[in-house]
Amino acid sequence: MDLILNALAGGRKALGEFESKQFLSAFGIPVTRELLVRDAQAAARAAGEIGFPVVLKASGPDLFHKTEVEGVSLNLRSTQEVEKESERLLRIAGCDALLVQEMVKGSRELACGLTRDPHFGPCVMFGIGGILTEILKDTSFRIAPLTRSDAMEMLTEIRAAKVLEPFRGEPAADLEVLCAILAALGEIGLRVGAVTEVDINPLKVRPNGTLVAVDALVVLINEKA
């Protein structure tokens, strides 16, 4: 909760990706292994600690749409590549840090989140993730709080529900963990009034069926405003 209070005290409207994942992890949501660093040399050391290949992302208090400014470098396989890309990313306007992240395998991408409806209050969303989220709009919603039964129903309501089943030789997605993630988002909506929105996209399905939040954003509302 200190993350939220500190951000609000600083007049910020959202948590950065690293902070967002720390916050979500506190509610039991699985997130990527990653380290936040300030320069190219530290990024290279962090990559060695995490293990190649890695993803490198530009980070800053107002840098929320990284792909639009070419602020993401994927599949970096050496110290030299990390240092070179670090120097490039640090030249992006608003970038004051670097997020070094494990490169997650898996072709299945989901999305889930939290929004606050003016009439119904906190609502949880589940659907297809990645670049297709806005195009397909294949989503389902529930009002918080969510039971396991509520969450399981959400999984069956999207048109592409078969993506959760065994896929190209890979096992089914871990539905129990997925239901727990959706329930946790509902819990956040009920317990943390300063959080107005959560966006986890993509939530990737690893080749072994486990799930991990690869990118996340927690949007805030300053209740004192």
Side-chain angles (χ1 to χ4, degrees):
M1 196 64 71
D2 286 346
L3 288 169
I4 303 292
L5 295 176
N6 291 338
L8 292 176
R12 293 165 55 198
K13 297 179 180 179
L15 299 181
E17 179 179 344
F18 182 69
E19 295 171 310
S20 293
K21 288 178 182 170
Q22 286 183 307
F23 175 75
L24 296 175
S25 179
F27 283 84
I29 296 174
V31 301
T32 47
R33 292 182 295 112
E34 57 192 33
L35 293 167
L36 190 68
V37 299
R38 297 293 174 182
D39 57 55
Q41 291 70 37
R45 291 193 297 270
E49 182 177 336
I50 291 171
F52 293 100
V54 297
V55 175
L56 197 62
K57 297 180 178 179
S59 181
D62 298 311
L63 200 55
F64 302 124
H65 303 289
K66 297 176 285 293
T67 55
E68 295 178 7
V69 294
E70 298 184 347
V72 179
S73 296
L74 303 174
N75 205 33
L76 302 179
R77 295 183 172 276
S78 70
T79 296
Q80 291 75 21
E81 287 184 359
V82 170
E83 290 182 345
K84 180 180 178 181
E85 282 301 291
S86 294
E87 297 293 351
R88 181 184 71 81
L89 295 179
L90 286 168
R91 290 194 292 268
I92 294 174
C95 176
D96 62 9
L98 299 163
L99 186 58
V100 187
Q101 180 185 108
E102 64 174 309
M103 183 78 190
V104 178
K105 296 180 180 179
S107 57
R108 290 177 282 180
E109 295 186 332
L110 310 172
C112 51
L114 171 74
T115 187
R116 291 190 183 276
D117 184 271
H119 301 292
F120 299 111
C123 298
V124 176
M125 181 277 291
F126 169 72
I128 292 300
I131 61 174
L132 298 178
T133 301
E134 294 183 7
I135 298 173
L136 297 180
K137 300 187 185 301
D138 189 6
T139 56
S140 62
F141 289 85
R142 283 294 186 284
I143 301 170
L146 272 69
T147 64
R148 178 189 177 280
S149 178
D150 293 329
M152 196 64 74
E153 286 179 357
M154 291 179 70
L155 307 186
T156 66
E157 288 174 353
I158 64 170
R159 297 187 300 276
K162 284 187 175 295
V163 75
L164 301 174
E165 299 176 2
F167 180 79
R168 294 185 177 180
E170 298 177 0
D174 190 329
L175 300 187
E176 292 300 328
V177 170
L178 187 48
C179 287
I181 291 171
L182 296 176
L185 288 168
E187 182 183 358
I188 291 169
L190 294 171
R191 287 179 51 189
V192 190
V195 172
T196 184
E197 181 181 341
V198 177
D199 183 19
I200 301 174
N201 186 13
L203 178 73
K204 292 200 75 167
V205 183
R206 296 183 192 268
N208 64 359
T210 59
L211 298 142
V212 60
V214 172
D215 200 353
L217 176 66
V218 174
V219 181
L220 308 174
I221 180 170
N222 195 323
E223 295 177 321
K224 295 181 181 181

